[in-house]
Amino acid sequence: MYKPHLTAAEMSDESEIKPDSSSDLPVDAFLLLDENLNLLNINDVGQKLFDVSAEAALGKCIMDVMPNIKKSAIYNQYRHILKTGEPLVIHQKLGDRSLAVQVFKLGDGLGIIVSDITERKRAEEALKLASAYNRSLIEASLDPLVTFGADGKITNVNATTEAETGYTRERLIGTDFCDYFTEPEKARAGYQQVFRDGKVFDYALDLRHRNGHVTSVLYNASVYRDEAGRVIGVFAAARGITERKRAEEALKESEKHYSALVKNLTDAVLIFKGRVITWCNDKVEEIYGYPKEELLGKRARFFYPNDINPSEFTRILSSALKERGLFNGTTRFQRKNGSIVDIEYSLLQISGKAPIEIIAVARDITERKLVEREGERLLAELVEKTKELEQIIYVTSHDLRSPLVNIQGFTRELDESFKQVYEIFDSKAVPSAVKKKLAPLLDEDIPHALQYILASSSKMNSLLSGLLRLSRLGRAALKIKRLGMNKLMAEVVASFEFQVKESGVKIRVEELPPCYGDETQINQVFSNLLDNALKFLDPDRPGMIRISGKAEKGRVTYCVEDNGIGIADKDREQIFEIFRRLDPDAGIGEGLGLTIVRKILDRHSGKVWVESEPGKGSRFFVSLQTKGGINDKK
Ligand code: ADP
């Protein structure tokens, strides 16, 4: 920072006149010596510099005034100047200050001017440092850098230039820049262009190593000037040798990876330029059944099966590629040998500029399709067989009922007839010996047999009507609509009013979300569940039933919860089987209710399951859709 010259007032201040490394002295110190080197005069700056007052110093020998100097050397130098009259500049340190001491003959004695050159020294040091820094930057550059003069002679080079040419710096400096290229004339034209235009960009030359190796480089060069703006040389940098080499190597490496990848891929890869196939991997031959040479050059249309409308397909394809850059699909292709291959493919647009470039990756999915088709066939067969079975169940249960009705009718008739026979048998007209003989038959065997026939046929009748109901259920058309479940459940509960009152069971119905289904069948589901909940309560505690529901993710789940006898884990699935009752001796139900529930929910794409703890109670869950479009699974 610039400091103004010291004022007289400041100079009188003792503390200010001490040498201070932070400020340069404004003017030079001046001292006058006589021929014996005694001080005749010293100016203010001198007094400040050497920290003496004129009164104390005048008349004293200079060696005593100037501290810290190598007295004998100085003394001899001063004597020499006195004798010869040759002036001398001596550089000297005073504390951390740098002084330039000019000593010259003045009259008989000596004049001494002491200049404080601390700042100048510092600037010089900084300059030295800066140029060392620049130099190391230049040296650190991986590109060859060269400077040369107007005559084309190299003035400086960096280490990369030494490495690229194979010559040392000493050998290169002073030689012609053009000599190190395969085409010296082209190099000369280049540097002449720099001198003419001030610069060149990407000037291509081939640099020759002393061992003969040639490297292609691109030169960027510009002139540099002295302070007066005169061109003194050219600074030239060969761009990208190292970088390009590295990039080339990286590219080679990645190409190696990709080609290995593409080669070993189990998928076929094809590249289309415009609509024409320009490249493909070996796998293409295997999948498409054509030799590569025959496929290259073919148009995309070659790969369309006959049943595809080409213009329609192109429209779908191009809009998908425009929107997402990707298109996936499956297709069939007829190989050269006539066999058909199922193909799954992805098309990826790699360049949207005309001609559009597309990579196609194709996979043979014939096996998978076969399995899928077989699955579909089996499913269709299963549906057909189920229908057939339901038909048989329907027909047999229906047709078996008429002979059964006959059996029941004639059994009753037989019973009536037997009663008459018994009356006759009971009369006095029958001899007691005969009575004794017939008694076991008429008292026990015949009435027992008749009772068994009647009970069994009535059981058979109820089983057959159960079967008939079940098969009708599968055949009835569904009328799916939105169901307000609060109303539906109120109707269901009301239909059990009598049992509820009788048993004193408490039923709590919470707010229920709506669902989609066939009203009659969904009513049947909850009637069956509520019927069971009431039937299987624990007689030892007051019965409680709670009906709730919650909607989540497009579905709604209802729950019918009771505090009844519960169901053991091992029975949880079995209770849904047809005619399955856990306690057949209890004589309640037909074991059909839950089978009907599951069948209805199957047709509604719904689900039913149970959670239970024996002795505590059961929770039956029913899950249904909250949206229409139920897929009726017959
Ligand atoms: P049913 O028509 O005889 O009730 P289901 O198919 O409805 O036949 O039920 C089958 C069996 O599952 C019942 O006999 C019973 O043993 C058991 N079960 C059904 N619901 C419950 C329940 N809420 N608590 C305990 N057991 C039950």
Side-chain angles (χ1 to χ4, degrees), residues 469 528-537 560-568 571-572 574-584 586-597 610 612 617-620:
R469 259 200 299 150
N528 288 8
L529 293 179
L530 190 55
D531 184 34
N532 283 348
L534 286 164
K535 272 193 307 199
F536 300 106
L537 282 171
V560 178
E561 181 177 2
D562 63 57
N563 65 340
I565 57 171
I567 300 157
D571 297 322
R572 272 196 317 179
Q574 293 180 4
I575 56 172
F576 293 97
E577 289 169 7
I578 189 164
F579 300 134
R580 170 71 75 171
R581 290 173 303 167
L582 296 182
D583 184 9
I588 35 173
E590 299 164 320
L592 208 63
L594 290 177
T595 312
I596 288 174
V597 168
V610 62
S612 182
S618 312
R619 284 204 301 257
F620 280 84

Side-chain angles (χ1 to χ4, degrees), residues 144-408:
L145 307 177
V146 182
T147 58
F148 50 85
D151 53 0
K153 296 272 189 283
I154 294 174
T155 50
N156 209 344
V157 297
N158 71 345
T160 310
T161 308
E162 290 182 295
E164 294 292 342
T165 56
Y167 294 109
T168 62
R169 183 187 308 255
E170 294 69 33
R171 169 69 210 276
L172 287 163
I173 290 174
T175 60
D176 195 332
F177 170 73
C178 306
D179 289 347
Y180 300 95
F181 298 94
T182 53
E183 295 170 276
E185 283 320 306
K186 190 176 173 191
R188 198 171 312 285
Y191 90 70
Q192 281 165 354
Q193 191 184 329
V194 187
F195 280 105
R196 199 173 56 243
D197 303 341
K199 54 189 172 242
V200 292
F201 286 118
D202 290 349
Y203 195 89
L205 286 172
D206 289 330
L207 190 61
R208 199 207 324 258
H209 193 276
R210 71 188 287 191
N211 67 11
H213 181 78
V214 173
T215 323
S216 299
V217 292
L218 292 174
Y219 262 100
N220 285 341
S222 65
V223 292
Y224 62 94
R225 300 163 194 275
D226 64 11
E227 279 177 3
R230 279 186 302 267
V231 172
I232 49 172
V234 169
F235 182 86
R239 185 170 59 89
I241 292 184
T242 340
E243 220 168 81
R244 191 142 37 110
K245 244 193 234 158
R246 264 194 224 126
E248 272 169 18
E249 257 154 39
L251 196 66
K252 254 192 230 154
E253 190 69 6
S254 90
E255 262 171 12
K256 213 164 69 191
H257 289 160
Y258 279 115
S259 63
L261 188 73
V262 171
K263 206 165 174 200
N264 295 318
L265 217 55
T266 51
D267 295 339
V269 182
L270 307 98
I271 293 181
F272 289 91
K273 250 190 197 145
R275 287 175 187 212
V276 176
I277 162 169
T278 55
W279 184 91
C280 59
N281 69 350
D282 295 344
K283 197 72 189 173
V284 171
E285 298 195 349
E286 191 183 310
I287 293 183
Y288 287 89
Y290 277 88
K292 252 166 128 178
E293 313 78 69
E294 281 187 43
L295 288 174
L296 292 172
K298 283 267 183 323
R299 305 194 127 247
R301 178 173 298 213
F302 176 73
F303 297 93
Y304 294 178
N306 292 336
D307 54 352
I308 280 188
N309 174 348
S311 58
E312 172 72 356
F313 180 64
T314 311
R315 195 181 56 74
I316 297 171
L317 180 68
S318 54
S319 75
L321 291 180
K322 211 180 261 171
E323 267 174 41
R324 303 187 303 274
L326 186 72
F327 180 84
N328 295 315
T330 56
T331 187
R332 309 193 87 195
F333 182 79
Q334 186 166 16
R335 294 196 178 104
K336 199 171 182 180
N337 66 9
S339 63
I340 301 286
V341 56
D342 280 290
I343 287 171
E344 183 180 54
Y345 63 94
S346 307
L347 303 177
L348 177 72
Q349 183 165 312
I350 46 175
S351 157
K353 276 189 246 139
I356 288 170
E357 264 185 89
I358 287 171
I359 283 198
V361 180
R363 176 173 297 183
D364 181 348
I365 54 159
T366 314
E367 287 277 312
R368 197 175 88 195
K369 279 278 172 191
L370 244 147
V371 172
E372 273 174 23
R373 278 188 208 115
E374 184 60 11
E376 277 163 21
R377 195 190 60 75
L378 284 175
L379 195 69
E381 201 174 307
L382 194 69
V383 168
E384 201 47 42
K385 285 269 184 279
T386 311
K387 260 194 202 157
E388 228 171 78
L389 206 65
E390 267 174 2
Q391 185 68 13
I392 292 170
I393 291 173
Y394 178 75
V395 171
T396 44
S397 50
H398 183 268
D399 290 4
L400 278 176
R401 286 192 81 194
S402 36
L404 185 65
V405 168
N406 282 343
I407 292 171
Q408 282 179 315

Side-chain angles (χ1 to χ4, degrees), residues 19-25 49 92-99 116 118:
D20 172 6
S21 62
S22 68
S23 69
D24 253 359
L25 288 172
L49 185 64
Q92 232 178 279
K93 278 276 188 197
L94 179 63
D96 56 358
R97 293 187 165 281
S98 304
L99 303 178
D116 188 331
T118 314

Side-chain angles (χ1 to χ4, degrees), residues 312-533:
E312 172 72 356
F313 180 64
T314 311
R315 195 181 56 74
I316 297 171
L317 180 68
S318 54
S319 75
L321 291 180
K322 211 180 261 171
E323 267 174 41
R324 303 187 303 274
L326 186 72
F327 180 84
N328 295 315
T330 56
T331 187
R332 309 193 87 195
F333 182 79
Q334 186 166 16
R335 294 196 178 104
K336 199 171 182 180
N337 66 9
S339 63
I340 301 286
V341 56
D342 280 290
I343 287 171
E344 183 180 54
Y345 63 94
S346 307
L347 303 177
L348 177 72
Q349 183 165 312
I350 46 175
S351 157
K353 276 189 246 139
I356 288 170
E357 264 185 89
I358 287 171
I359 283 198
V361 180
R363 176 173 297 183
D364 181 348
I365 54 159
T366 314
E367 287 277 312
R368 197 175 88 195
K369 279 278 172 191
L370 244 147
V371 172
E372 273 174 23
R373 278 188 208 115
E374 184 60 11
E376 277 163 21
R377 195 190 60 75
L378 284 175
L379 195 69
E381 201 174 307
L382 194 69
V383 168
E384 201 47 42
K385 285 269 184 279
T386 311
K387 260 194 202 157
E388 228 171 78
L389 206 65
E390 267 174 2
Q391 185 68 13
I392 292 170
I393 291 173
Y394 178 75
V395 171
T396 44
S397 50
H398 183 268
D399 290 4
L400 278 176
R401 286 192 81 194
S402 36
L404 185 65
V405 168
N406 282 343
I407 292 171
Q408 282 179 315
F410 283 111
T411 313
R412 264 183 229 109
E413 214 164 278
L414 208 61
D415 195 35
E416 281 303 311
S417 308
F418 174 70
K419 275 182 192 141
Q420 287 172 25
V421 169
Y422 196 80
E423 269 168 29
I424 297 167
F425 170 75
D426 220 16
S427 72
K428 290 188 178 121
V430 179
S432 57
V434 176
K435 271 190 183 168
K436 205 173 174 191
K437 230 177 171 180
L438 286 177
L441 293 177
L442 297 179
D443 282 345
E444 282 182 29
D445 293 359
I446 293 175
H448 263 165
L450 282 171
Q451 216 181 326
Y452 260 116
I453 294 172
L454 275 174
S456 299
S457 55
S458 131
K459 173 77 186 165
M460 199 161 158
N461 189 28
S462 87
L463 290 179
L464 282 178
S465 62
L467 273 180
L468 207 57
R469 259 200 299 150
L470 202 63
S471 69
R472 279 207 187 105
L473 199 69
R475 292 142 59 91
L478 292 184
K479 276 194 227 126
I480 303 294
K481 61 173 189 178
R482 187 176 187 275
L483 301 175
M485 291 299 282
N486 292 319
K487 181 165 169 275
L488 187 143
M489 203 61 77
E491 285 166 11
V492 170
V493 174
S495 68
F496 287 92
E497 196 184 349
F498 178 73
Q499 289 100 305
V500 174
K501 263 199 188 138
E502 280 276 285
S503 56
V505 175
K506 282 220 159 52
I507 300 189
R508 199 172 96 207
V509 183
E510 296 182 356
E511 181 72 22
L512 301 174
C515 65
Y516 274 81
D518 178 284
E519 188 168 4
T520 316
Q521 294 203 356
I522 298 300
N523 186 306
Q524 176 83 73
V525 165
F526 288 100
S527 294
N528 288 8
L529 293 179
L530 190 55
D531 184 34
N532 283 348

